[in-house]
Amino acid sequence: MQILNVIGSRVKLGFMTWPSHQGWIYTFGITSGSTLLAGGVATVTGFVDPVKDMTKPNPIKMLSAFLVPSLVEELLWRVVLLPHPTVQPISLQYAMAILFLHVGMHPVLGELELFGPRGRFVFCDPIFLVLATIVLGGATASYSVSGGSVYAAIVAHAVPVTLWRDCFGGEQRLLW
């Protein structure tokens, strides 16, 4: 029962924590940096061809990335599994362990073929896993510097996911 109280408390604090002005500045800086770094790595490795893969996005669909996967994943991997910074400082070692568990879940989900057989190849691709580490590392850092705000983690996660999924052919690579 105590674990449910801890989870409930962390979720409540994560939603009640709105980043300060400085927290948002840090979050936007981290989001910009992780998005540019991931985009650069994706381009240099050929994971994405920014010219050939560019697609016209649907603005409504782009917003959905803020809910799935971002809200869903950030609630579990940041809010529930990391201590809220106002209650207990987040150790770098613990944050890194959770980050690598989160990244490591992608090949497991790929093997389950939840996104069809093509999703398996994407989620097991070592380049994708490096990109996921960059993006999710940004979400972890944003959660921490924002004082434990789920909103900051969602932004840091959703922006690069939306760009890849909806603007650079990610969805076509994932789905049947």
Side-chain angles (χ1 to χ4, degrees), residues 37-49 103 106-107 120-135 164 173:
L37 179 59
V41 170
T43 301
V44 167
T45 60
F47 188 80
V48 169
D49 180 329
V103 171
H106 287 82
R120 178 174 170 230
F121 295 109
V122 173
F123 281 179
C124 294
D125 184 330
I127 296 169
F128 174 85
L129 297 175
V130 168
L131 299 172
T133 302
I134 294 166
V135 169
W164 174 66
R173 289 184 70 178

PDB file of all heavy atoms in Angstrom, residues 37-49 103 106-107 120-135 164 173:
ATOM      1  N   LEU A  37      21.050  17.714 -31.640  1.00  0.00           N
ATOM      2  CA  LEU A  37      22.050  16.643 -31.587  1.00  0.00           C
ATOM      3  C   LEU A  37      21.488  15.359 -32.191  1.00  0.00           C
ATOM      4  O   LEU A  37      22.155  14.718 -33.023  1.00  0.00           O
ATOM      5  CB  LEU A  37      22.501  16.409 -30.143  1.00  0.00           C
ATOM      6  CG  LEU A  37      23.534  15.292 -29.950  1.00  0.00           C
ATOM      7  CD1 LEU A  37      24.809  15.564 -30.753  1.00  0.00           C
ATOM      8  CD2 LEU A  37      23.846  15.135 -28.462  1.00  0.00           C
ATOM      9  N   ALA A  38      20.276  14.979 -31.799  1.00  0.00           N
ATOM     10  CA  ALA A  38      19.664  13.765 -32.353  1.00  0.00           C
ATOM     11  C   ALA A  38      19.457  13.904 -33.855  1.00  0.00           C
ATOM     12  O   ALA A  38      19.725  12.963 -34.616  1.00  0.00           O
ATOM     13  CB  ALA A  38      18.339  13.465 -31.651  1.00  0.00           C
ATOM     14  N   GLY A  39      19.019  15.083 -34.295  1.00  0.00           N
ATOM     15  CA  GLY A  39      18.839  15.306 -35.736  1.00  0.00           C
ATOM     16  C   GLY A  39      20.149  15.213 -36.491  1.00  0.00           C
ATOM     17  O   GLY A  39      20.219  14.644 -37.590  1.00  0.00           O
ATOM     18  N   GLY A  40      21.199  15.760 -35.910  1.00  0.00           N
ATOM     19  CA  GLY A  40      22.519  15.677 -36.542  1.00  0.00           C
ATOM     20  C   GLY A  40      23.008  14.246 -36.637  1.00  0.00           C
ATOM     21  O   GLY A  40      23.491  13.805 -37.694  1.00  0.00           O
ATOM     22  N   VAL A  41      22.879  13.492 -35.559  1.00  0.00           N
ATOM     23  CA  VAL A  41      23.295  12.088 -35.562  1.00  0.00           C
ATOM     24  C   VAL A  41      22.451  11.293 -36.557  1.00  0.00           C
ATOM     25  O   VAL A  41      22.975  10.480 -37.325  1.00  0.00           O
ATOM     26  CB  VAL A  41      23.205  11.479 -34.139  1.00  0.00           C
ATOM     27  CG1 VAL A  41      23.404   9.969 -34.164  1.00  0.00           C
ATOM     28  CG2 VAL A  41      24.219  12.139 -33.210  1.00  0.00           C
ATOM     29  N   ALA A  42      21.144  11.541 -36.564  1.00  0.00           N
ATOM     30  CA  ALA A  42      20.256  10.830 -37.490  1.00  0.00           C
ATOM     31  C   ALA A  42      20.626  11.112 -38.943  1.00  0.00           C
ATOM     32  O   ALA A  42      20.605  10.214 -39.790  1.00  0.00           O
ATOM     33  CB  ALA A  42      18.800  11.217 -37.224  1.00  0.00           C
ATOM     34  N   THR A  43      20.993  12.349 -39.219  1.00  0.00           N
ATOM     35  CA  THR A  43      21.352  12.731 -40.591  1.00  0.00           C
ATOM     36  C   THR A  43      22.700  12.142 -40.993  1.00  0.00           C
ATOM     37  O   THR A  43      22.828  11.535 -42.065  1.00  0.00           O
ATOM     38  CB  THR A  43      21.381  14.268 -40.719  1.00  0.00           C
ATOM     39  OG1 THR A  43      20.078  14.771 -40.384  1.00  0.00           O
ATOM     40  CG2 THR A  43      21.735  14.697 -42.125  1.00  0.00           C
ATOM     41  N   VAL A  44      23.699  12.301 -40.142  1.00  0.00           N
ATOM     42  CA  VAL A  44      25.052  11.821 -40.459  1.00  0.00           C
ATOM     43  C   VAL A  44      25.081  10.306 -40.641  1.00  0.00           C
ATOM     44  O   VAL A  44      25.795   9.793 -41.498  1.00  0.00           O
ATOM     45  CB  VAL A  44      26.048  12.269 -39.356  1.00  0.00           C
ATOM     46  CG1 VAL A  44      27.373  11.556 -39.467  1.00  0.00           C
ATOM     47  CG2 VAL A  44      26.243  13.769 -39.392  1.00  0.00           C
ATOM     48  N   THR A  45      24.298   9.582 -39.848  1.00  0.00           N
ATOM     49  CA  THR A  45      24.290   8.119 -39.933  1.00  0.00           C
ATOM     50  C   THR A  45      23.377   7.593 -41.038  1.00  0.00           C
ATOM     51  O   THR A  45      23.373   6.393 -41.312  1.00  0.00           O
ATOM     52  CB  THR A  45      23.843   7.506 -38.598  1.00  0.00           C
ATOM     53  OG1 THR A  45      22.516   7.964 -38.299  1.00  0.00           O
ATOM     54  CG2 THR A  45      24.802   7.848 -37.483  1.00  0.00           C
ATOM     55  N   GLY A  46      22.589   8.471 -41.651  1.00  0.00           N
ATOM     56  CA  GLY A  46      21.656   8.039 -42.679  1.00  0.00           C
ATOM     57  C   GLY A  46      20.350   7.497 -42.127  1.00  0.00           C
ATOM     58  O   GLY A  46      19.517   7.002 -42.892  1.00  0.00           O
ATOM     59  N   PHE A  47      20.147   7.578 -40.832  1.00  0.00           N
ATOM     60  CA  PHE A  47      18.883   7.134 -40.252  1.00  0.00           C
ATOM     61  C   PHE A  47      17.733   7.970 -40.812  1.00  0.00           C
ATOM     62  O   PHE A  47      16.633   7.465 -41.016  1.00  0.00           O
ATOM     63  CB  PHE A  47      18.944   7.238 -38.722  1.00  0.00           C
ATOM     64  CG  PHE A  47      17.774   6.620 -38.024  1.00  0.00           C
ATOM     65  CD1 PHE A  47      17.706   5.253 -37.836  1.00  0.00           C
ATOM     66  CD2 PHE A  47      16.738   7.405 -37.538  1.00  0.00           C
ATOM     67  CE1 PHE A  47      16.625   4.672 -37.186  1.00  0.00           C
ATOM     68  CE2 PHE A  47      15.656   6.846 -36.889  1.00  0.00           C
ATOM     69  CZ  PHE A  47      15.597   5.473 -36.712  1.00  0.00           C
ATOM     70  N   VAL A  48      18.010   9.247 -41.044  1.00  0.00           N
ATOM     71  CA  VAL A  48      17.045  10.161 -41.654  1.00  0.00           C
ATOM     72  C   VAL A  48      17.753  10.903 -42.774  1.00  0.00           C
ATOM     73  O   VAL A  48      18.892  11.330 -42.624  1.00  0.00           O
ATOM     74  CB  VAL A  48      16.506  11.178 -40.613  1.00  0.00           C
ATOM     75  CG1 VAL A  48      15.729  12.294 -41.286  1.00  0.00           C
ATOM     76  CG2 VAL A  48      15.643  10.493 -39.580  1.00  0.00           C
ATOM     77  N   ASP A  49      17.063  11.033 -43.881  1.00  0.00           N
ATOM     78  CA  ASP A  49      17.519  11.910 -44.961  1.00  0.00           C
ATOM     79  C   ASP A  49      16.575  13.101 -44.942  1.00  0.00           C
ATOM     80  O   ASP A  49      15.421  12.986 -45.349  1.00  0.00           O
ATOM     81  CB  ASP A  49      17.453  11.188 -46.302  1.00  0.00           C
ATOM     82  CG  ASP A  49      17.928  12.052 -47.460  1.00  0.00           C
ATOM     83  OD1 ASP A  49      17.761  13.297 -47.411  1.00  0.00           O
ATOM     84  OD2 ASP A  49      18.464  11.487 -48.423  1.00  0.00           O
ATOM     85  N   VAL A 103      15.402   3.208 -22.410  1.00  0.00           N
ATOM     86  CA  VAL A 103      15.901   2.964 -23.770  1.00  0.00           C
ATOM     87  C   VAL A 103      15.861   1.465 -24.067  1.00  0.00           C
ATOM     88  O   VAL A 103      15.457   1.038 -25.156  1.00  0.00           O
ATOM     89  CB  VAL A 103      17.323   3.534 -23.943  1.00  0.00           C
ATOM     90  CG1 VAL A 103      17.928   3.096 -25.270  1.00  0.00           C
ATOM     91  CG2 VAL A 103      17.308   5.061 -23.835  1.00  0.00           C
ATOM     92  N   HIS A 106      12.732  -0.310 -25.538  1.00  0.00           N
ATOM     93  CA  HIS A 106      12.356  -0.187 -26.944  1.00  0.00           C
ATOM     94  C   HIS A 106      12.589  -1.481 -27.732  1.00  0.00           C
ATOM     95  O   HIS A 106      11.684  -1.921 -28.448  1.00  0.00           O
ATOM     96  CB  HIS A 106      13.056   1.017 -27.577  1.00  0.00           C
ATOM     97  CG  HIS A 106      12.472   2.315 -27.131  1.00  0.00           C
ATOM     98  ND1 HIS A 106      12.810   2.912 -25.933  1.00  0.00           N
ATOM     99  CD2 HIS A 106      11.550   3.127 -27.705  1.00  0.00           C
ATOM    100  CE1 HIS A 106      12.120   4.040 -25.799  1.00  0.00           C
ATOM    101  NE2 HIS A 106      11.346   4.189 -26.860  1.00  0.00           N
ATOM    102  N   PRO A 107      13.750  -2.135 -27.615  1.00  0.00           N
ATOM    103  CA  PRO A 107      13.894  -3.414 -28.329  1.00  0.00           C
ATOM    104  C   PRO A 107      12.910  -4.479 -27.849  1.00  0.00           C
ATOM    105  O   PRO A 107      12.439  -5.291 -28.648  1.00  0.00           O
ATOM    106  CB  PRO A 107      15.340  -3.832 -28.034  1.00  0.00           C
ATOM    107  CG  PRO A 107      16.042  -2.595 -27.659  1.00  0.00           C
ATOM    108  CD  PRO A 107      15.013  -1.711 -27.017  1.00  0.00           C
ATOM    109  N   ARG A 120       9.733  -3.474 -35.276  1.00  0.00           N
ATOM    110  CA  ARG A 120      10.782  -4.302 -34.671  1.00  0.00           C
ATOM    111  C   ARG A 120      12.155  -3.871 -35.165  1.00  0.00           C
ATOM    112  O   ARG A 120      13.095  -3.734 -34.384  1.00  0.00           O
ATOM    113  CB  ARG A 120      10.524  -5.760 -35.001  1.00  0.00           C
ATOM    114  CG  ARG A 120      11.556  -6.678 -34.471  1.00  0.00           C
ATOM    115  CD  ARG A 120      11.113  -8.120 -34.723  1.00  0.00           C
ATOM    116  NE  ARG A 120      12.197  -9.001 -34.421  1.00  0.00           N
ATOM    117  CZ  ARG A 120      12.612  -9.949 -35.233  1.00  0.00           C
ATOM    118  NH1 ARG A 120      12.020 -10.144 -36.398  1.00  0.00           N
ATOM    119  NH2 ARG A 120      13.604 -10.715 -34.891  1.00  0.00           N
ATOM    120  N   PHE A 121      12.276  -3.651 -36.465  1.00  0.00           N
ATOM    121  CA  PHE A 121      13.574  -3.267 -37.023  1.00  0.00           C
ATOM    122  C   PHE A 121      14.000  -1.882 -36.550  1.00  0.00           C
ATOM    123  O   PHE A 121      15.172  -1.648 -36.307  1.00  0.00           O
ATOM    124  CB  PHE A 121      13.539  -3.342 -38.549  1.00  0.00           C
ATOM    125  CG  PHE A 121      13.345  -4.740 -39.054  1.00  0.00           C
ATOM    126  CD1 PHE A 121      12.144  -5.105 -39.637  1.00  0.00           C
ATOM    127  CD2 PHE A 121      14.336  -5.698 -38.912  1.00  0.00           C
ATOM    128  CE1 PHE A 121      11.951  -6.405 -40.082  1.00  0.00           C
ATOM    129  CE2 PHE A 121      14.148  -6.996 -39.350  1.00  0.00           C
ATOM    130  CZ  PHE A 121      12.952  -7.354 -39.937  1.00  0.00           C
ATOM    131  N   VAL A 122      13.046  -0.972 -36.415  1.00  0.00           N
ATOM    132  CA  VAL A 122      13.373   0.380 -35.949  1.00  0.00           C
ATOM    133  C   VAL A 122      13.793   0.347 -34.490  1.00  0.00           C
ATOM    134  O   VAL A 122      14.844   0.878 -34.119  1.00  0.00           O
ATOM    135  CB  VAL A 122      12.178   1.347 -36.147  1.00  0.00           C
ATOM    136  CG1 VAL A 122      12.466   2.697 -35.510  1.00  0.00           C
ATOM    137  CG2 VAL A 122      11.876   1.517 -37.629  1.00  0.00           C
ATOM    138  N   PHE A 123      12.988  -0.271 -33.634  1.00  0.00           N
ATOM    139  CA  PHE A 123      13.255  -0.249 -32.197  1.00  0.00           C
ATOM    140  C   PHE A 123      14.486  -1.067 -31.802  1.00  0.00           C
ATOM    141  O   PHE A 123      15.011  -0.894 -30.702  1.00  0.00           O
ATOM    142  CB  PHE A 123      12.041  -0.739 -31.420  1.00  0.00           C
ATOM    143  CG  PHE A 123      10.964   0.297 -31.256  1.00  0.00           C
ATOM    144  CD1 PHE A 123       9.798  -0.012 -30.595  1.00  0.00           C
ATOM    145  CD2 PHE A 123      11.098   1.584 -31.746  1.00  0.00           C
ATOM    146  CE1 PHE A 123       8.797   0.933 -30.412  1.00  0.00           C
ATOM    147  CE2 PHE A 123      10.119   2.542 -31.583  1.00  0.00           C
ATOM    148  CZ  PHE A 123       8.958   2.203 -30.912  1.00  0.00           C
ATOM    149  N   CYS A 124      14.935  -1.948 -32.666  1.00  0.00           N
ATOM    150  CA  CYS A 124      16.147  -2.733 -32.391  1.00  0.00           C
ATOM    151  C   CYS A 124      17.372  -2.158 -33.096  1.00  0.00           C
ATOM    152  O   CYS A 124      18.475  -2.670 -32.921  1.00  0.00           O
ATOM    153  CB  CYS A 124      15.925  -4.188 -32.801  1.00  0.00           C
ATOM    154  SG  CYS A 124      14.669  -5.022 -31.799  1.00  0.00           S
ATOM    155  N   ASP A 125      17.198  -1.118 -33.873  1.00  0.00           N
ATOM    156  CA  ASP A 125      18.297  -0.494 -34.608  1.00  0.00           C
ATOM    157  C   ASP A 125      19.208   0.247 -33.626  1.00  0.00           C
ATOM    158  O   ASP A 125      18.750   1.120 -32.892  1.00  0.00           O
ATOM    159  CB  ASP A 125      17.714   0.484 -35.636  1.00  0.00           C
ATOM    160  CG  ASP A 125      18.746   1.120 -36.537  1.00  0.00           C
ATOM    161  OD1 ASP A 125      19.907   1.309 -36.104  1.00  0.00           O
ATOM    162  OD2 ASP A 125      18.393   1.452 -37.673  1.00  0.00           O
ATOM    163  N   PRO A 126      20.512  -0.059 -33.609  1.00  0.00           N
ATOM    164  CA  PRO A 126      21.423   0.619 -32.673  1.00  0.00           C
ATOM    165  C   PRO A 126      21.431   2.144 -32.838  1.00  0.00           C
ATOM    166  O   PRO A 126      21.571   2.859 -31.844  1.00  0.00           O
ATOM    167  CB  PRO A 126      22.795   0.029 -33.011  1.00  0.00           C
ATOM    168  CG  PRO A 126      22.509  -1.265 -33.686  1.00  0.00           C
ATOM    169  CD  PRO A 126      21.184  -1.102 -34.373  1.00  0.00           C
ATOM    170  N   ILE A 127      21.255   2.636 -34.050  1.00  0.00           N
ATOM    171  CA  ILE A 127      21.220   4.091 -34.248  1.00  0.00           C
ATOM    172  C   ILE A 127      19.976   4.671 -33.586  1.00  0.00           C
ATOM    173  O   ILE A 127      20.037   5.702 -32.920  1.00  0.00           O
ATOM    174  CB  ILE A 127      21.296   4.462 -35.739  1.00  0.00           C
ATOM    175  CG1 ILE A 127      22.636   4.008 -36.310  1.00  0.00           C
ATOM    176  CG2 ILE A 127      21.103   5.963 -35.943  1.00  0.00           C
ATOM    177  CD1 ILE A 127      22.728   4.071 -37.817  1.00  0.00           C
ATOM    178  N   PHE A 128      18.838   4.007 -33.749  1.00  0.00           N
ATOM    179  CA  PHE A 128      17.618   4.459 -33.077  1.00  0.00           C
ATOM    180  C   PHE A 128      17.841   4.502 -31.563  1.00  0.00           C
ATOM    181  O   PHE A 128      17.406   5.447 -30.895  1.00  0.00           O
ATOM    182  CB  PHE A 128      16.428   3.554 -33.409  1.00  0.00           C
ATOM    183  CG  PHE A 128      15.193   3.912 -32.618  1.00  0.00           C
ATOM    184  CD1 PHE A 128      14.341   4.910 -33.061  1.00  0.00           C
ATOM    185  CD2 PHE A 128      14.907   3.278 -31.410  1.00  0.00           C
ATOM    186  CE1 PHE A 128      13.223   5.273 -32.317  1.00  0.00           C
ATOM    187  CE2 PHE A 128      13.793   3.628 -30.669  1.00  0.00           C
ATOM    188  CZ  PHE A 128      12.950   4.624 -31.123  1.00  0.00           C
ATOM    189  N   LEU A 129      18.511   3.505 -31.025  1.00  0.00           N
ATOM    190  CA  LEU A 129      18.736   3.455 -29.582  1.00  0.00           C
ATOM    191  C   LEU A 129      19.647   4.586 -29.116  1.00  0.00           C
ATOM    192  O   LEU A 129      19.442   5.149 -28.035  1.00  0.00           O
ATOM    193  CB  LEU A 129      19.280   2.084 -29.179  1.00  0.00           C
ATOM    194  CG  LEU A 129      18.314   0.918 -29.453  1.00  0.00           C
ATOM    195  CD1 LEU A 129      18.985  -0.410 -29.146  1.00  0.00           C
ATOM    196  CD2 LEU A 129      17.015   1.074 -28.688  1.00  0.00           C
ATOM    197  N   VAL A 130      20.626   4.958 -29.926  1.00  0.00           N
ATOM    198  CA  VAL A 130      21.463   6.126 -29.599  1.00  0.00           C
ATOM    199  C   VAL A 130      20.600   7.389 -29.617  1.00  0.00           C
ATOM    200  O   VAL A 130      20.683   8.226 -28.717  1.00  0.00           O
ATOM    201  CB  VAL A 130      22.649   6.256 -30.580  1.00  0.00           C
ATOM    202  CG1 VAL A 130      23.349   7.604 -30.438  1.00  0.00           C
ATOM    203  CG2 VAL A 130      23.640   5.112 -30.363  1.00  0.00           C
ATOM    204  N   LEU A 131      19.759   7.518 -30.638  1.00  0.00           N
ATOM    205  CA  LEU A 131      18.873   8.684 -30.740  1.00  0.00           C
ATOM    206  C   LEU A 131      17.905   8.728 -29.556  1.00  0.00           C
ATOM    207  O   LEU A 131      17.666   9.799 -28.982  1.00  0.00           O
ATOM    208  CB  LEU A 131      18.111   8.663 -32.061  1.00  0.00           C
ATOM    209  CG  LEU A 131      18.975   8.708 -33.320  1.00  0.00           C
ATOM    210  CD1 LEU A 131      18.127   8.482 -34.562  1.00  0.00           C
ATOM    211  CD2 LEU A 131      19.740  10.009 -33.402  1.00  0.00           C
ATOM    212  N   ALA A 132      17.363   7.583 -29.187  1.00  0.00           N
ATOM    213  CA  ALA A 132      16.454   7.528 -28.036  1.00  0.00           C
ATOM    214  C   ALA A 132      17.186   7.930 -26.756  1.00  0.00           C
ATOM    215  O   ALA A 132      16.617   8.635 -25.912  1.00  0.00           O
ATOM    216  CB  ALA A 132      15.866   6.121 -27.886  1.00  0.00           C
ATOM    217  N   THR A 133      18.428   7.539 -26.623  1.00  0.00           N
ATOM    218  CA  THR A 133      19.213   7.916 -25.437  1.00  0.00           C
ATOM    219  C   THR A 133      19.394   9.428 -25.376  1.00  0.00           C
ATOM    220  O   THR A 133      19.263  10.040 -24.307  1.00  0.00           O
ATOM    221  CB  THR A 133      20.580   7.205 -25.446  1.00  0.00           C
ATOM    222  OG1 THR A 133      20.365   5.785 -25.486  1.00  0.00           O
ATOM    223  CG2 THR A 133      21.400   7.564 -24.211  1.00  0.00           C
ATOM    224  N   ILE A 134      19.662  10.045 -26.510  1.00  0.00           N
ATOM    225  CA  ILE A 134      19.820  11.504 -26.556  1.00  0.00           C
ATOM    226  C   ILE A 134      18.513  12.190 -26.171  1.00  0.00           C
ATOM    227  O   ILE A 134      18.478  13.077 -25.310  1.00  0.00           O
ATOM    228  CB  ILE A 134      20.293  11.959 -27.951  1.00  0.00           C
ATOM    229  CG1 ILE A 134      21.702  11.440 -28.237  1.00  0.00           C
ATOM    230  CG2 ILE A 134      20.232  13.487 -28.086  1.00  0.00           C
ATOM    231  CD1 ILE A 134      22.119  11.554 -29.699  1.00  0.00           C
ATOM    232  N   VAL A 135      17.429  11.783 -26.807  1.00  0.00           N
ATOM    233  CA  VAL A 135      16.126  12.419 -26.578  1.00  0.00           C
ATOM    234  C   VAL A 135      15.642  12.184 -25.148  1.00  0.00           C
ATOM    235  O   VAL A 135      15.217  13.125 -24.456  1.00  0.00           O
ATOM    236  CB  VAL A 135      15.088  11.903 -27.602  1.00  0.00           C
ATOM    237  CG1 VAL A 135      13.671  12.322 -27.224  1.00  0.00           C
ATOM    238  CG2 VAL A 135      15.452  12.394 -29.002  1.00  0.00           C
ATOM    239  N   TRP A 164      10.503  13.710 -35.890  1.00  0.00           N
ATOM    240  CA  TRP A 164      10.870  12.476 -36.590  1.00  0.00           C
ATOM    241  C   TRP A 164       9.629  11.740 -37.097  1.00  0.00           C
ATOM    242  O   TRP A 164       9.545  11.384 -38.269  1.00  0.00           O
ATOM    243  CB  TRP A 164      11.678  11.549 -35.666  1.00  0.00           C
ATOM    244  CG  TRP A 164      11.947  10.221 -36.300  1.00  0.00           C
ATOM    245  CD1 TRP A 164      12.721   9.982 -37.407  1.00  0.00           C
ATOM    246  CD2 TRP A 164      11.422   8.957 -35.912  1.00  0.00           C
ATOM    247  NE1 TRP A 164      12.713   8.638 -37.709  1.00  0.00           N
ATOM    248  CE2 TRP A 164      11.919   7.987 -36.806  1.00  0.00           C
ATOM    249  CE3 TRP A 164      10.584   8.554 -34.883  1.00  0.00           C
ATOM    250  CZ2 TRP A 164      11.612   6.634 -36.693  1.00  0.00           C
ATOM    251  CZ3 TRP A 164      10.277   7.200 -34.777  1.00  0.00           C
ATOM    252  CH2 TRP A 164      10.795   6.261 -35.675  1.00  0.00           C
ATOM    253  N   ARG A 173       8.174   4.339 -41.135  1.00  0.00           N
ATOM    254  CA  ARG A 173       9.177   3.323 -40.808  1.00  0.00           C
ATOM    255  C   ARG A 173       8.675   2.386 -39.723  1.00  0.00           C
ATOM    256  O   ARG A 173       9.100   1.236 -39.667  1.00  0.00           O
ATOM    257  CB  ARG A 173      10.467   3.984 -40.336  1.00  0.00           C
ATOM    258  CG  ARG A 173      11.192   4.673 -41.483  1.00  0.00           C
ATOM    259  CD  ARG A 173      12.493   5.247 -41.054  1.00  0.00           C
ATOM    260  NE  ARG A 173      13.446   4.172 -40.778  1.00  0.00           N
ATOM    261  CZ  ARG A 173      14.681   4.375 -40.423  1.00  0.00           C
ATOM    262  NH1 ARG A 173      15.148   5.618 -40.298  1.00  0.00           N
ATOM    263  NH2 ARG A 173      15.494   3.379 -40.186  1.00  0.00           N
TER     264      ARG A 173
END
